[in-house]
Amino acid sequence: MPIMSDIVAEPVPLLRRPVVLVAILGAVVVLVAALSLLHLRREAIDTQGRELRLLSLALTAEVGRGLQGIDEGLRAMQVELREGRLPTSGPLAGRILKTHAELLPLVQTLWLLDAQGKVLAASEAAAPPPLATFAPATDSLLPGQVAVSRPFAPPAPAHAPSMVALAMRYPAQGQQDGGWIVAALPADMLLGAFSVATPAPDARMAVFRKDGVRLAGAIVATPHATEADLARRLAAMRSAAVRRFRDDSERLVAMHSLQQFGLDVVLTRDLGVMLVGWRQAVRIVLLVVVFLLLVITGAAWLIVRANGRRALAQQALQAQQARSSKFNSLGVLAGAVAHDFNNVLASIVGYGEMAQDAAVPGSAQRRHLDMVIKAALRGKTLVERILSFSGGGARASTPFALEPIVEEVLAMLAGSLPAGIEVKRQLQAAGAQLNGDPTQAFEAVMNLCTNAIQAMPGGGTLTVDLRKVHMVQARILSHSRLDAGSYLALSVADEGAGMSPGVMEHLFEPFFTTRAAQSGTGLGLAVVHGVVTELGGAIDVASQPGRGALFTLYFPEYAGAAAQPSAAEAPHGAGQAVMVVDDDADLVAMLSEMLAELGYAPVGYTDPQAALQALLAAPRQYALVITDEVMPGMSGTMLAQTLSSRHPGLPLILLSGYGGPLMAAKAVTAGVSHVLLKPVRREELAHALQTLIPRKATA
């Protein structure tokens, strides 16, 4: 039979791997955050751009109104010159120009120039800018059109602000050629209200001519950008846009034009200052993203750890199942061998006991038969040890206290402890009971303590602990599975050399030992495993090389009342008919002869089907049935089950040398009256017959 069926690992889907899930969720969170921040940045720039355009439009309109007033004043002076009310030279012309300069908004100085640029009259003694600095060029200037000069510095006082001049042609009069009316104003006056109340600390305003000459203001924080560079950057602008300048500043730029004067009014703001709120949002979003990533990572770590624990538990369960299957397989093999060996021993013991009765007491024949019986009984003990490992054999099941058995074992060992061995006991389960065979429990405790003592050849401490424990949930132990419930936990610890994982794998296999052949048979721990299994318990072993070993046996606690022992005599029968069913003809013959000597009328069958037919045909003819368990075609429990359903009053004794750990329960369920372990002693059989056959039938 296979030890364990193959386990095929189910492939884990990609999306069920925690690391992949973390990566995907993290990427999604980062992507969503990045897209949201980009959207917020674009919205912030668009909002600030609209505001900047509106402000630029308002400032351009204000500059235009101021220049329009100058333009209208120059046109009025054209009319005065044409009508002769304004002379082109002389003190009167200067006084009139001074009056006009005081009346015109923004204007500081007025000049009348001839066609060649020579000063004819002026409102004050100051040199006008050369005509070559005006744009459009004065020689191509149309009537009524205004030209604007480059910024120029007045001769006095020192450090006076730069000036900008507007020029308009006036027509010829009489013998004189036409000339120019030139009005000068401080360049900063072109900035309008911006120069008085800056809308924002980072805002910059500048006024340019169409050819790129900057007339007033500045759009960068430092003067490193040349006028040509600024002109190139502003040439392609249609609306508010982001531009980077030579001072490494990135600015939002809005521009509007005054076509009448050939000017561009430019307004800029520092993008970094404008995006302060957005940067705060970035920090908040980054904190949220980091928090989410930490949460996701923590959740993934918990999942990985839970999966790891689940995997370890699964591995432990698979290992325990493998060991259990291996022990079951070995147990089946051991039980089968024990069954056949029991049949041989049964014949030896049965015929040997009958031959003893016929031998002369004190003769060599009697002595030889005694030795045969002793050898057969030693073989029976060996079979019992093998069956204890395999869990086979039906044993007596009675409530008993475990603590007195442990005390008895320790008392027996105390007289033969090797030098250097100290025993520490902690027995805290007084009155606690198990349900099973106390002899088996004694043998298991003795073997476990003996194994611990042998593990300490150089001396050490043997610690024996017995206490009640309650398991709330099932646990996977090193060599068993422990279900929830109440247990008696017997722990035996030594300070020996310990065991490697490889040794622990084979620890409870029969005939496995790490000691020399003369000091170990390999059946001690195998018997412990078999006893614990038959009592419905579990085993846990903890050991490391160099650190000793700790064996813990868990026995289910029995909550019922203790059974009272009973004694009965074993008299002979009174000729009652007893059917014997066994597939081994020699055993049928031996049992028939033994029954006949005990005063019964045996009827033997080697075919269980034929025996069943005879019983069903005449059930009242037989006082009792003795049947083997393992037979071809029909087992003893199957035969008992059929008889109990058809004739429930007919007692039945089941002979078993192997039957598995559930034999006792199986026998009771099938209606078996009594179970005897092979090989059967004559006294055991006589007591069972006396107990089961009604006394009125033996009277």
Side-chain angles (χ1 to χ4, degrees), residues 293-332:
L293 291 178
L294 289 176
V295 170
I296 294 172
T297 304
W301 179 77
L302 292 176
I303 293 173
V304 169
R305 191 172 72 166
N307 288 342
R309 289 180 176 177
R310 191 179 301 111
L312 290 177
Q314 184 67 20
Q315 291 175 1
L317 178 60
Q318 292 177 357
Q320 189 272 332
Q321 289 176 343
R323 294 191 191 98
S324 178
S325 298
K326 179 170 61 177
F327 290 145
N328 288 340
S329 299
L330 291 172
V332 171

Side-chain angles (χ1 to χ4, degrees), residues 533-590:
T533 301
E534 185 162 342
L535 291 176
I539 301 177
D540 190 29
V541 183
S543 180
Q544 292 183 7
R547 297 189 178 182
L550 173 63
F551 288 76
T552 303
L553 311 184
Y554 293 91
F555 299 102
E557 184 179 3
Y558 178 70
Q564 299 297 326
S566 60
E569 298 180 357
H572 283 40
Q576 297 93 337
V578 176
M579 178 180 287
V580 179
V581 185
D582 198 310
D583 60 315
D584 191 326
D586 294 336
L587 285 181
V588 171
M590 186 274 295

Side-chain angles (χ1 to χ4, degrees), residues 470-477 481-485 487:
H470 182 74
M471 295 296 169
V472 179
Q473 58 184 6
R475 289 177 51 193
I476 300 299
L477 306 180
R481 171 186 170 87
L482 185 65
D483 294 327
Y487 295 88

Side-chain angles (χ1 to χ4, degrees), residues 485-666:
S486 297
Y487 295 88
L488 294 184
L490 174 65
S491 298
V492 177
D494 64 68
E495 297 178 346
M499 295 174 288
S500 65
V503 172
M504 290 182 64
E505 282 291 328
H506 306 281
L507 194 59
F508 296 105
E509 296 179 9
F511 311 114
F512 174 78
T513 180
T514 59
R515 303 188 181 96
Q518 64 271 20
S519 62
T521 63
L523 283 176
L525 292 180
V527 168
V528 173
H529 184 276
V531 171
V532 173
T533 301
E534 185 162 342
L535 291 176
I539 301 177
D540 190 29
V541 183
S543 180
Q544 292 183 7
R547 297 189 178 182
L550 173 63
F551 288 76
T552 303
L553 311 184
Y554 293 91
F555 299 102
E557 184 179 3
Y558 178 70
Q564 299 297 326
S566 60
E569 298 180 357
H572 283 40
Q576 297 93 337
V578 176
M579 178 180 287
V580 179
V581 185
D582 198 310
D583 60 315
D584 191 326
D586 294 336
L587 285 181
V588 171
M590 186 274 295
L591 285 173
S592 297
E593 189 171 348
M594 184 181 292
L595 288 170
E597 289 187 359
L598 289 174
Y600 296 96
V603 179
Y605 284 90
T606 58
D607 183 1
Q609 295 287 352
L612 178 61
Q613 294 298 326
L615 286 169
L616 294 178
R620 299 184 180 278
Q621 178 180 343
Y622 300 96
L624 184 140
V625 177
I626 300 175
T627 178
D628 188 23
E629 165 62 10
V630 181
M631 296 181 295
M634 177 180 290
S635 65
T637 50
M638 292 175 61
L639 177 62
Q641 189 171 5
T642 303
L643 288 176
S644 63
S645 63
R646 301 287 293 274
H647 302 286
L650 181 62
L652 186 144
I653 295 177
L654 181 69
L655 304 181
S656 175
Y658 168 76
L662 301 180
M663 171 54 68
K666 181 180 179 182

